Amino acid sequence: QVQLVESGGGLVQAGGSLRLSCAASGRTFSQYAMGWFRQAPGKEREFVAAISRSGRSTSYADSVKGRFTISRDNAKNTVYLQMISLKPEDTAVYYCAGYRRLGIVLSTDGHFYDYWGQGTQVTVSS
């Protein structure tokens, strides 16, 4: 198994920026495709961004495309989510997740993800 720990959340004004980090345990991080999901109060979890094991392929939800960037550093066992031009509707708990189904480059479906962090709160004020 792998353990994931998110950090970097906080309170920011609309138009501001934050960078989230997700640190993974173990020595096999490069075998995991990674993703970010978020859940706002009273709403279901939704996909935000995903990245392949190599970092060469990425995918984004339409709501964040052009504003968020997912990246990874396999040498540091860390995946990042750079968020700019934040909006109040971005307010949510952000979760990092991973899976190691080797035949699937990346996935926007949370069902594929086997390991989840405990989340970090992002609050964007208007």
Side-chain angles (χ1 to χ4, degrees):
Q1 296 188 7
V2 62
Q3 290 186 304
L4 306 173
V5 180
E6 304 94 335
S7 63
L11 175 64
V12 65
Q13 290 186 310
S17 301
L18 284 173
R19 188 174 80 155
L20 306 184
S21 297
C22 174
S25 66
R27 300 174 63 86
T28 58
F29 178 69
S30 63
Q31 297 179 15
Y32 290 80
M34 303 295 296
W36 287 95
F37 296 77
R38 67 188 183 186
Q39 186 169 22
K43 296 185 177 181
E44 294 186 339
R45 182 187 65 202
E46 66 175 346
F47 167 76
V48 176
I51 190 166
S52 63
R53 295 167 181 82
S54 68
R56 296 176 182 174
S57 298
T58 59
S59 182
Y60 298 92
D62 288 342
S63 59
V64 307
K65 195 170 299 181
R67 299 188 299 117
F68 290 11
T69 302
I70 188 171
S71 62
R72 68 190 296 160
D73 187 337
N74 286 345
K76 296 181 178 179
N77 279 19
T78 303
V79 62
Y80 305 95
L81 185 68
Q82 180 68 57
M83 306 183 292
I84 65 171
S85 301
L86 283 162
K87 305 174 181 179
E89 50 262 47
D90 295 318
T91 295
V93 177
Y94 283 70
Y95 296 93
C96 174
Y99 69 87
R100 59 186 303 274
R101 295 181 176 93
L102 300 182
I104 303 174
V105 174
L106 57 76
S107 178
T108 63
D109 185 352
H111 177 74
F112 283 92
Y113 292 84
D114 300 309
Y115 303 100
W116 295 80
Q118 61 184 338
T120 185
Q121 176 71 48
V122 172
T123 302
V124 184
S125 62
S126 60

